[in-house]
Amino acid sequence: MNGKAVLPMAVASELMCQAAVSNNPGLEFVGYNEMKLLKGVVLNNESELLKVFASQAELQPDGTYISHAEIRTDGVKWEHTNAKADIILAPKGLTRKSPDAVVVDSNKTYSRSVEEAYKECLFHGEFLQAITEFMGWSEKGMVAISDTSKPVEEWFLNSRFTNWQSDPLMIDAAYQLMILWTTEVLGAPSLPNYANSYRQYVKSLDCQPVIISAKAAPKGSSAATADIQFRNQDGKVLAEIKGYECAVSAKLTEAFKNRTIGA
């Protein structure tokens, strides 16, 4: 974006989930609360040192545990907190009951093909181009089909973890869908900055396509909110985001067009 590589919020949240699980053996990931992107990580050089922290998990009244996690980077004068979240963990084998699917008004045909959307509206490179089909949209939301993440080794070299906790490609695709929705409804693209909660009702998405259903609404002229569900082809809800928020700005239009690294 704007000629520079950036760390996607979906990947930032995954790194914090990995840290929380690693620091709390015996517990497994089920979701997170209060995911906040405070300062974007821009890769000005070939590499950037990310410091990922996760606390010892604290038992909650409902039997789950919370680990407070952060991503920090070094600044010129002080250390920046770039992202933070409360990672929700639970004893292994906990039953995860998925909620009912929410119907989103999507009776309009989206005017662009998938290829046109990535060329004209989005800044994501081929690796993150997860959306494969638009199923419809309206002023109240948008629905699409997306791929899910490939194995970890195809994303990271010499990774310290071997499996995903969340599914960063699927989640990033939902944020991409919201960029397209705000472009249609508010006349400008958007970037994610907050998610009140994410819950995952299966341990793994197993590289299977999902239906992303975003029930969206403007929040003034410069922001939007959404509740987002991820379903399989049978309609079962596999995961959901509640209280998603993004910042909307016409200035992003030009920044998105400059998608060549180093340009």
Side-chain angles (χ1 to χ4, degrees):
M1 184 178 69
N2 211 15
K4 295 182 179 179
V6 295
L7 179 70
M9 188 168 100
V11 177
S13 60
E14 172 67 22
L15 293 176
M16 289 188 285
C17 295
Q18 292 287 349
V21 170
S22 177
N23 199 38
N24 292 278
L27 299 176
E28 63 182 15
F29 170 77
V30 296
Y32 50 76
N33 292 339
E34 295 294 316
M35 169 63 204
K36 298 178 181 179
L37 188 63
L38 305 173
K39 180 179 174 58
V41 178
V42 179
L43 304 178
N44 293 305
N45 303 305
E46 291 185 1
S47 64
E48 183 77 26
L49 177 63
L50 302 179
K51 303 175 183 179
V52 188
F53 300 87
S55 70
Q56 183 174 352
E58 302 168 1
L59 180 63
Q60 304 301 300
D62 64 356
T64 63
Y65 293 77
I66 287 181
S67 173
H68 305 288
E70 293 185 356
I71 292 179
R72 303 174 195 162
T73 54
D74 291 327
V76 176
K77 294 183 178 180
W78 53 74
E79 191 175 67
H80 299 295
T81 299
N82 299 84
K84 62 194 305 185
D86 293 334
I87 312 302
I88 312 300
L89 306 173
K92 292 183 178 180
L94 178 73
T95 301
R96 306 180 189 182
K97 183 180 179 181
S98 62
D100 293 334
V102 174
V103 177
V104 173
D105 183 0
S106 55
N107 60 348
K108 296 183 179 182
T109 300
Y110 187 59
S111 61
R112 293 180 176 87
S113 67
V114 171
E115 293 76 16
E116 289 169 339
Y118 278 109
K119 183 178 180 179
E120 299 170 7
C121 303
L122 300 170
F123 62 92
H124 304 75
E126 183 178 355
F127 193 78
L128 289 176
Q129 292 180 9
I131 297 172
T132 59
E133 180 183 344
F134 297 116
M135 300 180 69
W137 81 283
S138 75
E139 287 74 14
K140 296 182 180 179
M142 197 163 184
V143 181
I145 298 176
S146 167
D147 289 332
T148 51
S149 296
K150 296 178 176 63
V152 171
E153 56 267 23
E154 295 191 29
W155 283 60
F156 297 101
L157 295 174
N158 303 318
S159 172
R160 293 188 178 183
F161 54 92
T162 58
N163 59 283
W164 299 114
Q165 300 302 326
S166 64
D167 192 287
L169 185 65
M170 174 189 80
I171 294 172
D172 196 77
Y175 301 163
Q176 296 171 28
L177 201 64
M178 284 301 296
I179 293 173
L180 300 176
W181 185 85
T182 61
T183 299
E184 292 293 323
V185 176
L186 297 175
S190 56
L191 283 177
N193 53 33
Y194 176 76
N196 178 260
S197 69
Y198 171 78
R199 292 294 183 274
Q200 191 165 294
Y201 304 107
V202 293
K203 187 168 179 59
S204 171
L205 278 296
D206 296 325
C207 302
Q208 298 299 311
V210 294
I211 298 170
I212 302 175
S213 179
K215 184 177 182 180
K219 187 178 181 182
S221 60
S222 60
T225 64
D227 289 338
I228 304 167
Q229 288 188 330
F230 305 89
R231 307 193 306 266
N232 64 13
Q233 299 297 323
D234 296 327
K236 179 182 178 181
V237 177
L238 307 175
E240 64 180 350
I241 297 172
K242 289 188 176 181
Y244 167 83
E245 295 184 9
C246 56
V248 180
S249 174
K251 294 180 180 179
L252 292 171
T253 302
E254 290 302 317
F256 284 9
K257 288 180 180 178
N258 187 5
R259 67 193 71 184
T260 302
I261 302 299

